[in-house]
């Protein structure tokens, strides 16, 4: 791309034949058309990539469950299934929010949106490790670290939604102000909720884990308007 641009701006362009100039113009037009379509193609690729990575994350989590080879291990086996269900619905809730974002207002994502999305997926990829940690040692420290990863993922999700919607907001100052306020309010809400769950996990980790599964269930039951997508 740089070399092509250099040819257009240099004296070498004048030495080209009419046929070469025409081919060069065709190449330039094709590159320009590709640049116009790039945000839409990026949107499609991000959605596909999100689906693939999240599916792999869920698969890895379920592989962490060890079968009960002895009758004495059955209660532990059931507990691990419960932990898997919690992690499953947390990740599924992230997927659903991303689906809504790309459906409603992320039409032309830029590089910043892609970076935030990659960071979100990288954070979600830590959940299998956090889940295995809880399965092996059901402690307050394990649940607390699970909550920290969950909090970081929630913040990154807000960033994906905000930066992804910026091209749409650029045409309306009112929409821009509303989106900024909504993003800030959601970050504050997630922060307060995470602090509460982390403090709760230090006292009664099992109750904190139970609340972690209630959050995505409540989120799924809420109408789309209440999730910040209008």
């Amino acid at each position: 791309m740089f070399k092509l641009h250099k040819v257009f701006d240099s004296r070498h362009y004048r030495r080209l034949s009419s046929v070469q100039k025409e081919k060069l113009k065709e190449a330039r037009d094709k590159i320009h058309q590709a640049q116009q379509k790039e945000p839409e193609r990026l949107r499609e690729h991000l959605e596909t990539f999100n689906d693939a990575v999240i599916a792999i994350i869920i698969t890895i989590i379920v592989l962490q469950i060890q079968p009960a080879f002895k009758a004495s291990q059955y209660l532990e086996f059931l507990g691990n299934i419960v932990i898997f269900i919690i992690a499953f619905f947390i990740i599924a809730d992230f997927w659903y929010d991303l689906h809504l974002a790309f459906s409603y207002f992320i039409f032309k994502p830029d590089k910043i949106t892609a970076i935030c999305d990659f960071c979100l997926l990288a954070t979600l990829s830590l959940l299998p490790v956090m889940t295995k940690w809880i399965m092996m040692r059901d402690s307050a420290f394990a649940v607390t670290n699970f909550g920290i990863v969950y909090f970081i993922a929630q913040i990154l999700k807000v960033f994906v939604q905000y930066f992804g919607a910026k091209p749409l907001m650029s045409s309306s100052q009112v929409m821009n102000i509303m989106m900024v306020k909504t993003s800030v309010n959601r970050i504050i809400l997630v922060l307060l909720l995470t602090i509460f769950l982390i403090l709760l996990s230090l006292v009664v980790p099992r109750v904190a884990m139970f609340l972690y599964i209630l959050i995505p269930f409540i989120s799924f039951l809420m109408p789309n308007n209440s999730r910040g997508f209008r």
Side-chain angles (χ1 to χ4, degrees), residues 63-78:
L63 291 177
Q64 306 298 329
I65 301 177
Q66 297 295 326
F69 295 105
K70 300 178 181 178
S72 59
Q73 298 175 336
Y74 192 69
L75 288 179
E76 181 182 353
F77 172 71
L78 293 178

Side-chain angles (χ1 to χ4, degrees), residues 14 28 86 90 147 157 178 206 221:
R14 294 192 296 270
R28 187 180 187 183
I86 293 174
I90 287 176
K157 182 181 69 175
M178 290 179 60
R206 291 184 179 274
L221 294 176

Side-chain angles (χ1 to χ4, degrees), residues 6-205:
K6 185 177 181 180
V7 170
F8 272 97
D9 293 339
S10 67
R11 60 184 179 180
H12 299 290
Y13 178 75
R14 294 192 296 270
R15 299 178 182 177
L16 299 176
S17 64
S18 58
V19 176
Q20 290 174 324
K21 290 179 180 179
E22 184 64 27
K23 290 183 178 180
L24 199 58
K25 182 179 180 302
E26 291 177 0
R28 187 180 187 183
D29 291 340
K30 289 181 180 179
I31 292 175
H32 180 70
Q33 292 174 5
Q35 288 175 335
Q36 296 295 323
K37 296 180 181 179
E38 192 271 338
E40 297 179 3
R41 289 179 57 82
L42 178 60
R43 177 176 179 267
E44 296 174 359
H45 290 162
L46 283 178
E47 287 187 284
T48 303
F49 190 65
N50 288 344
D51 293 345
V53 172
I54 289 176
I56 293 173
I57 292 172
I58 292 176
T59 302
I60 294 175
I61 292 177
V62 74
L63 291 177
Q64 306 298 329
I65 301 177
Q66 297 295 326
F69 295 105
K70 300 178 181 178
S72 59
Q73 298 175 336
Y74 192 69
L75 288 179
E76 181 182 353
F77 172 71
L78 293 178
N80 290 340
I81 291 179
V82 172
I83 294 173
F84 162 74
I85 293 174
I86 293 174
F88 176 89
F89 277 100
I90 287 176
I91 295 174
D93 188 57
F94 276 99
W95 176 88
Y96 188 63
D97 277 344
L98 288 174
H99 162 73
L100 292 180
F102 280 95
S103 298
Y104 289 167
F105 51 77
I106 301 181
F107 303 116
K108 294 183 178 181
D110 55 10
K111 194 171 184 179
I112 297 178
T113 306
I115 292 174
C116 292
D117 188 72
F118 294 155
C119 291
L120 171 59
L121 293 177
T123 304
L124 290 179
S125 298
L126 295 176
L127 282 180
V129 179
M130 299 298 112
T131 304
K132 183 177 181 179
W133 190 356
I134 295 175
M135 289 179 180
M136 296 179 62
R137 188 179 295 274
D138 186 8
S139 64
F141 189 56
V143 178
T144 299
N145 281 274
F146 186 97
I148 292 173
V149 172
Y150 176 79
F151 168 71
I152 296 174
Q154 286 284 359
I155 299 301
L156 290 171
K157 182 181 69 175
V158 174
F159 287 163
V160 171
Q161 295 167 345
Y162 174 75
F163 288 111
K166 284 197 73 175
L168 187 64
M169 294 186 298
S170 61
S171 59
S172 173
Q173 184 177 3
V174 176
M175 184 179 294
N176 188 16
I177 295 174
M178 290 179 60
M179 191 66 182
V180 171
K181 288 184 177 180
T182 300
S183 300
V184 172
N185 290 337
R186 293 179 69 183
I187 290 176
I188 294 174
L189 178 62
V190 171
L191 177 61
L192 294 177
L193 181 61
T194 303
I195 292 175
F196 168 75
L197 290 176
I198 289 177
L199 292 176
L200 184 64
S201 66
L202 296 176
V203 182
V204 277

